[in-house]
Amino acid sequence: MIHNIYRKNNKVVAIENTPDLSIMMAWKKLKFLFMIQLQTLEHYAMPVRLFHEKGIDYYNQWKKLQKEHKNCDDLKDGPERLSGVKKTDRFYPVLQIVVYFGKEHWKSAFKMDDLTRGKDFPEELQKLFAEKPMLLFEVYHFKNIEWFQTDLQQVCGFLQRTNDKTALQGYVKENEAVFSKLELPV
């Protein structure tokens, strides 16, 4: 869960966003947060949601560092005290992926640029507004399921054939050994 708690008009406001999966990952000695959002319907404001979740996570990382430095009283005067962190402190990056189970292709926004009027500005300014598109995995339309080395290959293959009963039955029969070993969630 990602929380943002603040005071507004003498009231405490709490915002909670819960990604479907949020897990700290490691690559060699480096850490990153991996978030997955599962969608069965298009979410017209998904770039806003992802931007918000990522921003709150970075904000929380910053506040945690500030608290640690305050407890140790190890910040020098000037910029370190102003920001609450040392110049050498680093945040872990956040990687977000949207897994979309809709049968139609995702036609909604892929990035904040798609939701703003940024394209109405001159090209020089558009470059300043540019955002990276979200990472989207469309289960029903992914053509290279053989790339998967786990039973995700068969799960995607199964889902991709749900509109064709004959093809689905044939696929289940071809992959009976894998499907018989799938475990149900407890």
Side-chain angles (χ1 to χ4, degrees):
M1 283 188 257
I2 299 170
H3 297 278
N4 187 12
I5 301 172
Y6 59 94
R7 183 176 300 276
K8 181 178 181 181
N9 300 330
N10 276 341
K11 293 182 182 177
V12 174
V13 178
I15 298 173
E16 178 182 322
N17 284 336
T18 307
D20 293 301
L21 174 68
S22 181
I23 186 168
M24 188 60 69
M25 304 288 289
W27 179 76
K28 298 186 180 181
K29 293 183 180 182
L30 302 171
K31 294 189 325 183
F32 66 95
L33 183 65
F34 183 55
M35 291 182 183
I36 295 180
Q37 293 291 351
L38 303 176
Q39 291 297 129
T40 54
L41 297 173
E42 287 183 80
H43 188 307
Y44 296 142
M46 184 55 79
V48 175
R49 182 176 176 188
L50 296 175
F51 197 73
H52 182 251
E53 289 169 355
K54 186 180 275 192
I56 288 175
D57 189 78
Y58 285 130
Y59 180 85
N60 290 338
Q61 289 182 57
W62 174 44
K63 290 302 175 184
K64 183 179 177 188
L65 281 169
Q66 281 183 322
K67 186 176 182 180
E68 289 170 3
H69 288 302
K70 185 177 181 180
N71 290 340
C72 295
D73 195 28
D74 64 346
L75 296 176
K76 298 175 185 169
D77 290 335
E80 286 187 359
R81 291 238 183 247
L82 175 65
S83 61
V85 295
K86 293 180 176 233
K87 187 176 184 177
T88 56
D89 284 336
R90 293 292 175 261
F91 296 78
Y92 55 80
V94 177
L95 174 63
Q96 299 167 302
I97 296 179
V98 176
V99 178
Y100 175 56
F101 293 94
K103 293 182 181 180
E104 299 296 321
H105 278 290
W106 184 277
K107 294 180 189 84
S108 297
F110 276 88
K111 56 188 176 184
M112 288 300 299
D113 298 356
D114 298 334
L115 295 172
T116 66
R117 302 200 65 177
K119 296 206 184 328
D120 295 345
F121 288 88
E123 190 175 329
E124 307 81 53
L125 284 175
Q126 288 181 28
K127 292 175 186 176
L128 299 174
F129 302 139
E131 298 282 341
K132 289 184 178 180
M134 68 182 187
L135 298 173
L136 179 72
F137 176 65
E138 292 183 288
V139 173
Y140 281 91
H141 303 283
F142 187 71
K143 301 295 181 207
N144 302 307
I145 61 173
E146 69 279 356
W147 290 355
F148 296 119
Q149 302 299 310
T150 66
D151 51 16
L152 184 57
Q153 181 181 114
Q154 285 75 25
V155 170
C156 286
F158 181 92
L159 291 172
Q160 290 176 355
R161 290 165 177 80
T162 56
N163 288 339
D164 184 341
K165 186 177 179 180
T166 305
L168 180 60
Q169 287 173 337
Y171 189 76
V172 169
K173 187 171 181 132
E174 288 171 28
N175 294 279
E176 189 174 350
V178 173
F179 288 121
S180 68
K181 293 178 186 173
L182 289 178
E183 293 184 27
L184 294 174
V186 178

